[in-house]
Structures are given as structure tokens and as C-alpha cells.
Amino acid sequence: MMKKSFVRHAALAGLIAVVLLPAGSIVAPAAAQIGGIVHDPRNYAQNILTAARTLEQINNQIKQLQNQATSLVNEARNLQNLPTSTLHELQGQIDRTRALLGEAQRVAFDVGDIQKAFDARYKGAALSGPQAAMVANAEARWTDSVGAFQDAMKVQAGVVGNMDGARRSIGTLVTASQSATGALQAAQAGNQLLALQSQQLGDLAAAIAAQGRAEMLDAARAAAAEAEGRERFRRFRKGH
């Protein structure tokens, strides 16, 4: 390609030199009759220059078309969708964590259920009723605490189990991002990585909530036991 360009420019320079020569320095006549046809060397040189310029313009237009074609190809790549999706796996991990939270024993993650449980076993009449009722309520509170700690451990185990799936998803998405052919694929890989991060934050929140529930129920059991102890002592003193 460079050789052709050099030859073309050399020819153009030669033609320009011919045209710019003084009239007296041209050995051939300005016009000659060859075979009955009048031949004008200057006119011939001008025609060649015009043709060369036209060819140069055509080459420039071809280059512009090639650049436009390359731009269209790049735009098409930028609009290609990411062929990889981890959404289904992420949703499955979220569903497993939610299912574990939904299996909460006795005192569920529900405001109404918590209120009923505390009214029945942790305060008021539950701490000052008949002896048999007090014993039953104390046992129920102990069962609440043990069940809550068991639930927290199950949620934590589920979160740890989800880490294997998260590791696979990270590897898949990072590979897809690095091999993305366009801006859209790179952006979609980034969005899925953000979704994975959100899922992991959700698992962390679930584990903290389950652990907090267990600790709060145990603290409530201890407070109820203290109140119950005072009631028992009051009755003891009253009986003596």
C-alpha cells in the first residue's frame, strides 16, 4: 500500500513539473498533429492531473466508508447482551435463606406473633399466676430461647452454604466481564455483580436478625425469670 502511494505521488510530482516548465524549455511543440489528430501535451498533462485528483478523492471516500463500517461494527458489539446470567442462582440462594427464616420456632419474625408470645409467657399474669402456670410458662420461655438459638445456627449454616454458590457466581461474572465484547455486556456483568453483593448483604442481615432474635429472647427469659423469682420470694415471705 505504501509503495503504491509513493508511486502515485511521484507521478503527480512529475506531471506538475511538466506543467510548470517554461514554454521555451519544452522540446516538443505545444500542439502536434498525429495521424490526423491534434495532440496537445499540456492539455494531456492537465487531464492526467485531474484524473489523479479524482482518484485521490475516491480513495478518501473509500477510507471514510471503511471507518463508518468499523464504527457500526463497534456499535453492534456495544449493543450485544451478556450471554451469562446468574440471576436464577442468586434468587435460589435468597429463597433458601428466606425459607430458613420462615421456619422460626415458636416466636416467629412477626410483630403480632411476638406480641402474643410476650403477653402469654413473658409478663403480667404469666409471672404471677398459679404455681403450675408459672412453672409451665418458665418451661415455655426456656423452649423459646433454645429454639431461637437453634434457628440462628440454621440460618448461619444456610449463609455459609450460599458462599459456595457466591464464589462460583463471582468467578463466572468476572470472567464474563473481562471477555466482554462491548459496553452493554460489561455493564450487565457489573449489574449482576452488584446483585450478588446485595444477596450477600441480605444473607448477612438474615444471620444478624436470627442471632439478635435468639439473644433478645434469652434476655427476655432472664428478665422474666428474675421477675418470677421476686414473685416467688414475695409469696414465700407472705406464707411465713
Side-chain angles (χ1 to χ4, degrees), residues 82-85 170-181 185-186 189 192:
L82 188 71
T84 302
S85 176
I170 289 174
T172 299
L173 293 173
V174 169
T175 300
S177 177
Q178 291 176 341
S179 60
T181 59
Q185 287 190 359
Q192 290 192 48

Side-chain angles (χ1 to χ4, degrees), residues 93-138:
Q93 293 172 2
I94 293 171
D95 289 341
R96 286 192 292 273
T97 301
R98 291 182 61 185
L100 290 172
L101 291 175
E103 294 174 2
Q105 304 174 54
R106 299 175 66 83
V107 183
F109 290 94
D110 179 80
V111 175
D113 186 69
I114 291 172
Q115 187 64 49
K116 291 178 182 178
F118 270 71
D119 288 343
R121 300 192 289 272
Y122 289 87
K123 63 181 182 179
L127 305 177
S128 58
Q131 180 69 20
M134 293 176 64
V135 172
N137 285 328

Side-chain angles (χ1 to χ4, degrees), residues 132-145:
M134 293 176 64
V135 172
N137 285 328
E139 183 176 355
R141 291 191 294 269
W142 178 85
T143 303
D144 288 345
S145 295

